[in-house]
Amino acid sequence: MTTVVATGGGGGTTVVVTKSESHNACRAAIPAMHIGMAVFCLIVNIFMPGIGTIFAGFSVFCCANKGASGGEMVATLCINFWVGLLQIGTVWFFFLGWIWSIMWGAAFLGMSADYHKSEDDNIIVVNSAPPPPPAQPIIVNNTTMMGGQQAPPQQYPPPQQYPPPQQQQQGPPPAYQGQGQMPGEVQEHKM
């Protein structure tokens, strides 16, 4: 992804974001076909597992992967051809190939959005208005507010003086009195 930030002459900011998609191996394996061809390959994969995947591999030469180089087309054909054969070969093993071919056909439908996407969808431009000027401080003069007369000074009453809190004298806490012991009675301990 490329991001360019430029400041305009009026103080505004223009941000241009260009998305660039990286093509990985999984993306190269599934051709981006027209939606009609993708639906056809999905239906063929449902009824004849693997055959729709092989058709999709051959479709890169006529109606899929716009703008791909010759090497990319051959690689996509080879991957889809061998994946289709594996789907056919594993259909008898707990229907694994049949489920795999249906999922692969659903991926064809998902990738058909790339076929219909135009290059203009990749650019986002955001303009922002220039920031407002900073606020100026307002200075108020008492003389001008009173029409040329000096305002009388404010008189605030002094804070009230409270007497300090009185300290109460307390004696030591009473001694612990165990179970069965009366207040004031002292128990003797023998060693």
Side-chain angles (χ1 to χ4, degrees), residues 160-164:
Q160 294 184 356
Q161 296 294 326
Y162 295 104

Side-chain angles (χ1 to χ4, degrees), residues 23 27 32 60 63-73 114-115 119:
H23 297 287
R27 167 59 190 93
V60 296
C63 56
N65 286 8
K66 294 188 298 187
S69 68
E72 290 173 341
M73 287 186 208
D114 282 356
Y115 180 84
E119 297 300 319

